[in-house]
Amino acid sequence: MVAVNRSIVLASRPHGEPTAAHFRLEESRTPTPGEGEVLLRNRLLSLDPYMRGRMSAAKSYAEPVAIGAPMVGATVSEVVASRHPDFHEGDVVTAFGGWQDFAVTKGQGLRKLDPEAAPVSTALGVLGMPGMTAYTGLLTIGQPKAGETVVVAAAAGPVGSLVGQIAKLKGARAVGIAGGPEKCAYLTDVLGFDAAVDHRTDDLPGALAAACPDGIDVYFENVGGAVFDAVLPLLNDFARIPVCGLVSGYNLTELPPGPDRSPVIMRAILTKRLTLRGFIVWDFADQEEEFLSEVGTWLREGRIQHREDIVDGLEAAPEAFIGLLKGRNFGKMLVRIA
């Protein structure tokens, strides 16, 4: 057993964009599992935008990371020692192991993985929390129908890319919004989206309107800001908007300048009879088995595609996470710890 456990802890709370200075690499003794506990060696770490919220002390749906505590995060981990009857040395599991080499758990929330069924990395992406976010948010709230137009922001990411592909499987027209020509080409040429719009274009509202000549029936919101401003006028009557994330505003320290646009938004909600619903993926925890079965089948049959962006080394996590918030990743962002 390696005697040292490296962890990346939250050194201070950022005001605005996080930097490397807000993280600190620490070393401690590898923990020993007690009765009923499991010692995990984390092999893959998932990096996700929600982690920015956990760095803040502001009230939210989950407790913030404490200063000096390891950053939170889902992992693919190997059981290296067990005093729990349901887990044995060598088992590969998903866990919430955090930004560290080792973690001790009482076994709650662990899910055993079969490396023969699918690459274990998919348990953090297309068959993990991001995939379930796309599946449950789109189908439960968005409820796309054949012939409708579904638009998704951050469409080249792990959530958005699956949203568009599921929309196509349900007979809808899929339009993705992404950053840069390479990502837009990926959406149409590889994933089969009907159209892709570069949010960096000089005329985003005009480009989006051209891509959605019949308006928008479902808008899966991951970004907010200028992207939502471009979407709002195109929403059809009775459009549904699952609100999954607002990454454009995660680093804001004050409200954006300009006039109060809430009357415009509220009027659109009223006159177009829009449905907007924010959600957290575990609101739909009872759909997990259905999600794993259906999306797992689609994946094995080649009906959906996925992409991963992997960096090596625990020490690379802070810069990779900072880049994630700026849209530098291309696909599901993972850290290969060991």
Side-chain angles (χ1 to χ4, degrees):
M1 179 65 62
V2 178
V4 174
N5 180 33
R6 299 172 305 149
S7 344
I8 294 179
V9 305
L10 181 62
S12 59
R13 301 199 188 280
H15 183 70
E17 292 187 6
T19 69
H22 294 110
F23 304 92
R24 183 173 66 247
L25 180 65
E26 292 188 348
E27 294 184 351
S28 60
R29 188 170 184 81
T30 300
T32 300
E35 187 65 33
E37 293 184 330
V38 175
L39 176 64
L40 304 174
R41 178 153 194 166
N42 299 325
R43 299 298 188 182
L44 288 168
L45 167 67
S46 175
L47 296 182
D48 300 281
Y50 78 83
M51 295 171 177
R52 175 61 184 85
R54 301 291 180 88
M55 299 175 75
S56 169
K59 185 176 180 180
S60 186
Y61 63 88
E63 291 296 317
V65 175
I67 299 298
M71 284 290 295
V72 297
T75 55
V76 167
S77 309
E78 179 186 354
V79 175
V80 292
S82 177
R83 299 182 66 185
H84 191 293
D86 297 335
F87 298 96
H88 306 282
E89 185 175 339
D91 285 347
V92 179
V93 299
T94 55
F96 212 58
W99 295 26
Q100 53 188 348
D101 288 319
F102 295 93
V104 167
T105 173
K106 294 185 181 297
Q108 296 99 326
L110 300 187
R111 176 165 64 92
K112 291 184 183 180
L113 300 177
D114 178 4
E116 299 298 319
V120 294
S121 61
T122 60
L124 298 177
V126 67
L127 295 180
M129 180 274 288
M132 186 168 165
T133 299
Y135 181 88
T136 58
L138 179 64
L139 298 183
T140 306
I141 302 172
Q143 300 181 15
K145 301 173 181 63
E148 290 189 326
T149 295
V150 175
V151 173
V152 58
V159 175
S161 61
L162 187 56
V163 166
Q165 292 180 87
I166 294 175
K168 292 293 295 179
L169 289 170
K170 298 300 180 181
R173 186 169 181 272
V175 177
I177 303 172
E182 184 182 7
K183 291 181 178 179
C184 287
Y186 171 70
L187 296 179
T188 55
D189 299 348
V190 178
L191 301 187
F193 280 55
D194 295 282
V197 177
D198 188 345
H199 69 74
R200 299 171 184 168
T201 185
D202 292 337
D203 182 14
L204 176 58
L208 186 60
C212 304
D214 297 321
I216 298 171
D217 300 292
V218 180
Y219 172 54
F220 196 102
E221 176 65 285
N222 289 316
V223 174
V227 174
F228 179 76
D229 290 344
V231 167
L232 183 63
L234 301 175
L235 293 171
N236 291 329
D237 289 352
F238 303 103
R240 290 82 69 197
I241 304 98
V243 182
C244 169
L246 299 165
V247 70
S248 69
Y250 286 173
N251 291 324
L252 293 181
T253 58
E254 59 186 16
L255 291 174
D260 178 6
R261 299 195 70 247
S262 58
V264 174
I265 296 170
M266 295 301 291
R267 178 175 175 79
I269 293 171
L270 173 62
T271 60
K272 294 185 177 185
R273 289 84 86 204
L274 306 177
T275 297
L276 286 86
R277 178 176 170 184
F279 75 102
I280 307 301
V281 62
W282 301 120
D283 294 343
F284 307 119
D286 61 345
Q287 297 181 34
E288 184 173 23
E289 291 305 315
E290 173 192 325
F291 151 71
L292 288 171
S293 174
E294 189 158 26
V295 177
T297 299
W298 290 338
L299 186 63
R300 288 189 296 274
E301 293 177 349
R303 300 176 71 189
I304 59 171
Q305 309 294 322
H306 71 105
R307 180 178 176 130
E308 297 172 342
D309 191 339
I310 302 177
V311 298
D312 285 301
L314 180 63
E315 64 281 356
E319 285 300 327
F321 175 67
I322 291 166
L324 170 72
L325 294 178
K326 296 180 178 180
R328 293 175 184 161
N329 62 300
F330 194 167
K332 173 62 198 154
M333 190 79 243
L334 299 171
V335 178
R336 185 183 291 112
I337 299 176

